[in-house]
């Protein structure tokens, strides 16, 4: 047992006051200690801020890593596609270059062939024009010759018909058909001389009137037969030609 402290009566108020003061200080100290325990120090605040920044940085880093991985995958895929497209384009370029070289060679060859064809066409055009002119000249010659032959055949037929008539049936107009033969270009000179001779002899008119002796009639008939034979040969020749 602790010995009781005997306080004199006169000193009792002072002791009480001292005891109360001491208890107040103790209470204040307890309150201060309690408040100090509940309060955050500046260092702790800094530490807490840094920890929050660290957590936020880690989160942002993770998000950036995810985005970077996705972007890198996209870049890898795109790079692969582009490299494949570039390779295919290069192969296509090589093929097109080969085609271009071939087409240039073909174009040069075709240009030479076209030039040769142009020369042939020019030559053939000239030949065609020349042949056309020749054909035109030949046709004109043929038309003129055909006209001469037609006129000669017609005149010979008329003259032969006149000569086959008897002397007393002939008129001067009909003998003109025979005389017209001399104007034709196709009648040879020998035939023209024979015609002249016949016309000269016929102009003596041995058959004029009915008083014709038998020898004279026979001679005249022989003369007509000779010229008719000549004219018929010419007629056959002209028809054949």
């Amino acid at each position: 047992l602790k010995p009781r402290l005997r306080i004199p009566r006169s000193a009792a108020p002072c002791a009480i006051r001292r005891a109360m003061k001491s208890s107040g200080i103790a209470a204040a100290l307890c309150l201060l200690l309690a408040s100090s325990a509940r309060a955050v120090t500046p260092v702790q605040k800094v530490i807490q801020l840094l920890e929050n920044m660290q957590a936020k940085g880690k989160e942002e880093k993770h998000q950036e890593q995810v985005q970077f991985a996705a972007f890198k995958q996209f870049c890898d895929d795109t790079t692969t596609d582009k490299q494949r497209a570039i390779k295919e384009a290069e192969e296509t370029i090589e093929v097109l270059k080969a085609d271009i070289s071939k087409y240039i060679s073909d174009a040069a060859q075709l240009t030479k062939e076209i030039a040769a064809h142009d020369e042939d066409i020019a030559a053939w055009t000239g030949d065609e024009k020349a042949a056309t002119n020749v054909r035109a000249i030949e046709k004109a010659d043929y038309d003129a010759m055909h006209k001469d032959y037609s006129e000669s055949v017609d005149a010979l037929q008329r003259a032969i018909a006149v000569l086959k008539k008897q002397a007393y049936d002939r008129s001067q107009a009909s003998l003109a058909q025979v005389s017209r033969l001399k104007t034709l270009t196709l009648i040879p000179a020998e035939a023209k001389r024979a015609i002249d001779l016949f016309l000269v002899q016929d102009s003596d008119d041995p058959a004029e009137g009915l008083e014709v002796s038998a020898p004279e009639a026979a001679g005249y008939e022989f003369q007509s037969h000779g010229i008719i034979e000549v004219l018929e040969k010419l007629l056959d020749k002209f028809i054949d030609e």
Side-chain angles (χ1 to χ4, degrees):
L1 293 176
K2 293 182 179 182
R4 291 184 178 180
L5 187 60
R6 292 180 180 269
I7 299 174
R9 292 181 182 269
S10 58
C14 293
I16 293 170
R17 286 196 295 273
R18 286 197 295 271
M20 292 177 62
K21 186 176 180 180
S22 299
S23 63
I25 292 171
L29 183 60
C30 290
L31 291 174
L32 180 60
L33 291 174
S35 61
S36 297
R38 289 194 300 267
V40 179
T41 63
V43 175
Q44 289 177 341
K45 288 183 178 181
V46 172
I47 293 171
Q48 185 177 3
L49 180 61
L50 292 176
E51 289 176 349
N52 291 336
M53 291 176 64
Q54 183 182 17
K56 184 177 180 182
K58 289 181 179 181
E59 180 65 22
E60 291 178 353
K61 179 182 177 182
H62 177 70
Q63 293 178 357
E64 289 181 357
Q65 287 177 343
V66 173
Q67 292 179 355
F68 177 77
F71 183 72
K72 184 176 182 301
Q73 184 64 38
F74 170 76
C75 291
D76 292 340
D77 296 340
T78 303
T79 300
T80 302
D81 294 338
K82 296 302 180 183
Q83 289 177 348
R84 185 187 307 109
I86 290 171
K87 185 177 180 180
E88 292 176 355
E90 290 176 349
E91 293 176 355
T92 303
I93 289 172
E94 293 300 326
V95 173
L96 292 176
K97 285 182 178 179
D99 292 340
I100 290 171
S101 299
K102 181 179 180 300
Y103 295 149
I104 291 174
S105 177
D106 293 343
Q109 181 63 29
L110 292 174
T111 301
K112 293 180 181 179
E113 293 179 1
I114 290 171
H117 293 327
D118 288 338
E119 292 179 359
D120 292 339
I121 290 172
W124 294 335
T125 302
D127 294 342
E128 181 183 6
K129 290 181 179 179
T132 301
N133 294 331
V134 171
R135 297 297 182 272
I137 294 172
E138 291 178 349
K139 184 178 185 300
D141 294 341
Y142 169 78
D143 291 340
M145 185 65 68
H146 185 272
K147 180 179 179 182
D148 290 341
Y149 274 114
S150 299
E151 292 178 352
S152 298
V153 169
D154 182 68
L156 286 171
Q157 289 174 344
R158 291 176 181 272
I160 291 170
V162 169
L163 292 173
K164 285 184 177 180
K165 293 180 180 181
Q166 295 296 329
Y168 52 81
D169 291 333
R170 297 178 190 150
S171 63
Q172 292 298 322
S174 63
L175 289 176
Q177 299 290 336
V178 180
S179 179
R180 182 172 175 272
L181 295 175
K182 296 188 297 180
T183 63
L184 300 176
T185 58
L186 296 179
I187 302 298
E190 295 83 359
K192 289 182 179 180
R193 285 195 295 269
I195 293 170
D196 286 335
L197 181 60
F198 171 76
L199 293 176
V200 170
Q201 293 176 354
D202 188 72
S203 62
D204 295 337
D205 201 5
E208 183 177 358
L210 299 176
E211 297 178 356
V212 180
S213 61
E216 290 176 346
Y220 187 81
E221 182 180 358
F222 174 78
Q223 177 185 353
S224 298
H225 179 72
I227 191 64
I228 290 172
E229 184 178 358
V230 171
L231 296 181
E232 284 180 342
K233 288 182 179 179
L234 284 176
L235 178 62
D236 293 338
K237 179 185 176 183
F238 290 164
I239 291 174
D240 291 338
E241 291 177 355

